Amino acid sequence: MRVEIWSDIACPWCYVGKARFEKALGAFPHRDQVEVVHRSFELDPHRAKGDIESVLKMLSQKYGMSEAQARAGEENLGAQAAAEGLAYRTEGRDHGSTFDLHRLLHFAKERGRQDALLQILYRANFAEERSLFADADAHLVELAVEAGLDADDARGVLADPQAYAEEVRADEREAAALGANGVPFFVLDRKYGVSGAQPVEVFSRALTEAWGSAG
Protein backbone atom coordinates (compact mmCIF):
# COMPACT_ATOMS: atom_id res chain seq x y z
CA MET A 1 0.00 0.00 0.00
CA ARG A 2 1.23 3.48 -0.80
CA VAL A 3 0.63 6.56 1.33
CA GLU A 4 1.38 9.94 -0.25
CA ILE A 5 1.75 12.95 2.01
CA TRP A 6 1.59 16.49 0.65
CA SER A 7 3.29 18.88 3.04
CA ASP A 8 5.43 22.00 3.37
CA ILE A 9 8.49 22.40 5.60
CA ALA A 10 7.15 25.78 6.75
CA CYS A 11 3.89 24.16 7.92
CA PRO A 12 3.89 23.42 11.67
CA TRP A 13 0.81 21.22 11.38
CA CYS A 14 2.68 19.13 8.81
CA TYR A 15 5.46 18.67 11.39
CA VAL A 16 2.94 17.57 14.02
CA GLY A 17 0.88 15.55 11.55
CA LYS A 18 3.90 13.56 10.38
CA ALA A 19 4.62 12.52 13.98
CA ARG A 20 1.01 11.49 14.56
CA PHE A 21 0.83 9.52 11.31
CA GLU A 22 4.10 7.74 12.11
CA LYS A 23 2.75 6.69 15.51
CA ALA A 24 -0.26 5.15 13.77
CA LEU A 25 1.95 3.53 11.13
CA GLY A 26 4.28 2.15 13.80
CA ALA A 27 1.37 0.27 15.38
CA PHE A 28 -0.10 -0.88 12.05
CA PRO A 29 0.26 -4.68 11.63
CA HIS A 30 1.19 -4.35 7.92
CA ARG A 31 3.56 -1.38 8.30
CA ASP A 32 6.38 -3.18 6.49
CA GLN A 33 4.19 -3.29 3.40
CA VAL A 34 3.38 0.42 3.40
CA GLU A 35 5.39 2.75 1.15
CA VAL A 36 5.37 6.39 2.22
CA VAL A 37 6.06 9.06 -0.40
CA HIS A 38 6.36 12.76 0.44
CA ARG A 39 4.94 15.23 -2.07
CA SER A 40 5.63 18.94 -2.46
CA PHE A 41 3.22 21.72 -1.50
CA GLU A 42 4.20 25.36 -0.97
CA LEU A 43 2.02 27.37 1.40
CA ASP A 44 3.63 30.54 0.04
CA PRO A 45 4.45 29.69 -3.61
CA HIS A 46 4.87 33.28 -4.78
CA ARG A 47 7.45 34.28 -2.17
CA ALA A 48 10.81 35.10 -3.75
CA LYS A 49 14.00 33.48 -2.57
CA GLY A 50 15.63 35.85 -0.12
CA ASP A 51 12.31 37.38 0.97
CA ILE A 52 12.58 36.48 4.65
CA GLU A 53 10.57 37.74 7.61
CA SER A 54 9.69 36.65 11.09
CA VAL A 55 6.99 34.01 11.50
CA LEU A 56 5.00 36.30 13.82
CA LYS A 57 5.03 39.13 11.28
CA MET A 58 4.04 36.76 8.46
CA LEU A 59 1.14 35.33 10.48
CA SER A 60 -0.06 38.80 11.47
CA GLN A 61 -0.09 40.00 7.88
CA LYS A 62 -1.47 36.82 6.29
CA TYR A 63 -4.33 36.28 8.72
CA GLY A 64 -4.99 39.86 9.84
CA MET A 65 -4.25 39.10 13.47
CA SER A 66 -2.37 41.00 16.12
CA GLU A 67 1.13 39.95 17.08
CA ALA A 68 -0.27 38.84 20.46
CA GLN A 69 -2.75 36.55 18.68
CA ALA A 70 0.01 35.17 16.46
CA ARG A 71 2.16 34.57 19.52
CA ALA A 72 -0.72 32.73 21.24
CA GLY A 73 -1.13 30.55 18.16
CA GLU A 74 2.55 29.66 18.26
CA GLU A 75 2.27 28.79 21.95
CA ASN A 76 -0.62 26.45 21.14
CA LEU A 77 1.41 24.82 18.40
CA GLY A 78 4.31 24.41 20.79
CA ALA A 79 2.03 22.55 23.19
CA GLN A 80 0.66 20.35 20.39
CA ALA A 81 4.19 19.53 19.26
CA ALA A 82 5.36 18.78 22.80
CA ALA A 83 2.49 16.32 23.20
CA GLU A 84 3.99 14.36 20.29
CA GLY A 85 7.51 14.52 21.74
CA LEU A 86 8.63 17.22 19.32
CA ALA A 87 10.76 20.25 20.11
CA TYR A 88 9.24 23.55 18.92
CA ARG A 89 10.58 27.08 19.24
CA THR A 90 7.67 29.47 19.69
CA GLU A 91 9.90 32.58 19.42
CA GLY A 92 12.47 33.80 16.93
CA ARG A 93 11.70 31.62 13.91
CA ASP A 94 11.72 33.07 10.40
CA HIS A 95 9.80 32.34 7.22
CA GLY A 96 10.84 32.26 3.58
CA SER A 97 10.46 30.44 0.27
CA THR A 98 10.51 26.65 0.56
CA PHE A 99 10.88 25.94 -3.17
CA ASP A 100 14.58 25.01 -2.92
CA LEU A 101 13.82 22.76 0.04
CA HIS A 102 11.30 20.85 -2.04
CA ARG A 103 13.73 20.56 -4.93
CA LEU A 104 16.29 19.10 -2.57
CA LEU A 105 13.70 16.64 -1.21
CA HIS A 106 13.06 15.33 -4.72
CA PHE A 107 16.80 14.84 -5.16
CA ALA A 108 16.86 12.99 -1.82
CA LYS A 109 13.98 10.81 -2.97
CA GLU A 110 16.08 9.58 -5.89
CA ARG A 111 18.80 8.64 -3.41
CA GLY A 112 16.43 6.89 -1.00
CA ARG A 113 16.97 9.57 1.67
CA GLN A 114 13.79 11.62 1.36
CA ASP A 115 12.23 10.87 4.72
CA ALA A 116 15.54 11.35 6.51
CA LEU A 117 16.06 14.75 4.93
CA LEU A 118 12.47 15.84 5.56
CA GLN A 119 12.77 15.04 9.26
CA ILE A 120 16.05 16.95 9.46
CA LEU A 121 14.53 19.98 7.69
CA TYR A 122 11.56 19.96 10.06
CA ARG A 123 13.88 19.79 13.05
CA ALA A 124 16.02 22.63 11.72
CA ASN A 125 13.02 24.83 10.99
CA PHE A 126 10.99 24.25 14.13
CA ALA A 127 13.41 23.18 16.85
CA GLU A 128 16.82 24.73 16.15
CA GLU A 129 18.09 28.28 16.21
CA ARG A 130 19.67 28.27 12.74
CA SER A 131 17.58 29.50 9.82
CA LEU A 132 16.72 27.46 6.74
CA PHE A 133 16.32 30.70 4.80
CA ALA A 134 19.21 32.97 5.81
CA ASP A 135 22.50 31.75 4.32
CA ALA A 136 20.28 28.99 3.03
CA ASP A 137 22.44 27.11 0.53
CA ALA A 138 25.37 26.52 2.90
CA HIS A 139 23.07 25.38 5.69
CA LEU A 140 21.03 23.16 3.38
CA VAL A 141 24.15 21.40 2.11
CA GLU A 142 25.15 20.66 5.71
CA LEU A 143 21.70 19.23 6.41
CA ALA A 144 21.76 17.18 3.20
CA VAL A 145 25.04 15.62 4.28
CA GLU A 146 23.53 14.85 7.68
CA ALA A 147 20.76 13.00 5.81
CA GLY A 148 23.35 10.88 4.01
CA LEU A 149 23.57 12.82 0.74
CA ASP A 150 26.69 13.91 -1.11
CA ALA A 151 27.65 17.53 -0.47
CA ASP A 152 28.75 18.31 -4.03
CA ASP A 153 25.61 16.75 -5.49
CA ALA A 154 23.38 18.71 -3.13
CA ARG A 155 25.30 21.90 -3.88
CA GLY A 156 24.83 21.27 -7.58
CA VAL A 157 21.06 20.88 -7.19
CA LEU A 158 20.78 24.13 -5.26
CA ALA A 159 22.95 25.97 -7.79
CA ASP A 160 20.67 24.99 -10.69
CA PRO A 161 17.22 26.57 -10.25
CA GLN A 162 15.75 24.18 -12.83
CA ALA A 163 16.93 21.00 -11.07
CA TYR A 164 13.83 19.11 -9.85
CA ALA A 165 11.71 22.23 -10.36
CA GLU A 166 9.26 20.40 -12.62
CA GLU A 167 8.93 17.58 -10.07
CA VAL A 168 7.89 20.12 -7.44
CA ARG A 169 5.39 21.78 -9.78
CA ALA A 170 3.98 18.40 -10.82
CA ASP A 171 3.31 17.52 -7.18
CA GLU A 172 1.56 20.84 -6.68
CA ARG A 173 -0.58 20.42 -9.80
CA GLU A 174 -1.55 16.96 -8.59
CA ALA A 175 -2.52 18.32 -5.18
CA ALA A 176 -4.79 20.85 -6.88
CA ALA A 177 -6.33 18.11 -9.03
CA LEU A 178 -7.05 16.08 -5.90
CA GLY A 179 -8.74 19.07 -4.28
CA ALA A 180 -6.07 19.69 -1.65
CA ASN A 181 -5.94 23.40 -0.87
CA GLY A 182 -4.08 22.96 2.40
CA VAL A 183 -1.62 20.64 4.08
CA PRO A 184 -0.87 18.17 5.48
CA PHE A 185 -2.89 16.05 3.08
CA PHE A 186 -2.61 12.26 3.18
CA VAL A 187 -3.72 10.01 0.32
CA LEU A 188 -3.88 6.27 0.99
CA ASP A 189 -3.72 4.07 -2.11
CA ARG A 190 -5.50 6.81 -4.08
CA LYS A 191 -8.73 5.74 -2.37
CA TYR A 192 -8.79 7.49 0.99
CA GLY A 193 -7.88 11.06 1.85
CA VAL A 194 -7.11 12.49 5.28
CA SER A 195 -6.74 16.24 5.65
CA GLY A 196 -4.93 17.92 8.51
CA ALA A 197 -2.89 16.83 11.53
CA GLN A 198 -5.55 14.42 12.73
CA PRO A 199 -5.33 12.40 15.97
CA VAL A 200 -3.41 9.13 15.83
CA GLU A 201 -6.67 7.15 16.00
CA VAL A 202 -7.92 8.74 12.77
CA PHE A 203 -4.76 7.72 10.92
CA SER A 204 -4.98 4.22 12.40
CA ARG A 205 -8.54 3.84 11.18
CA ALA A 206 -7.67 5.17 7.71
CA LEU A 207 -4.76 2.71 7.38
CA THR A 208 -6.98 -0.20 8.41
CA GLU A 209 -9.76 0.79 6.01
CA ALA A 210 -7.40 1.39 3.10
CA TRP A 211 -5.67 -1.95 3.71
CA GLY A 212 -8.99 -3.76 3.84
CA SER A 213 -10.10 -2.11 0.61
CA ALA A 214 -6.83 -3.05 -1.10
CA GLY A 215 -7.30 -6.65 -0.03
Side-chain angles (χ1 to χ4, degrees), residues 154-169:
R155 198 173 290 113
V157 170
L158 292 169
D160 178 4
Q162 297 307 311
Y164 301 96
E166 176 53 30
E167 286 83 348
V168 175
R169 297 303 184 214

Side-chain angles (χ1 to χ4, degrees), residues 11-26:
C11 164
W13 289 114
C14 297
Y15 178 50
V16 173
K18 183 176 189 290
R20 291 176 178 171
F21 170 76
E22 287 175 349
K23 286 182 180 178
L25 183 61

Side-chain angles (χ1 to χ4, degrees), residues 28-48:
F28 185 56
H30 310 287
R31 62 187 177 276
D32 293 340
Q33 299 175 64
V34 178
E35 176 193 12
V36 178
V37 178
H38 298 285
R39 302 288 192 192
S40 298
F41 190 105
E42 293 171 275
L43 288 172
D44 200 354
H46 304 297
R47 183 175 291 268

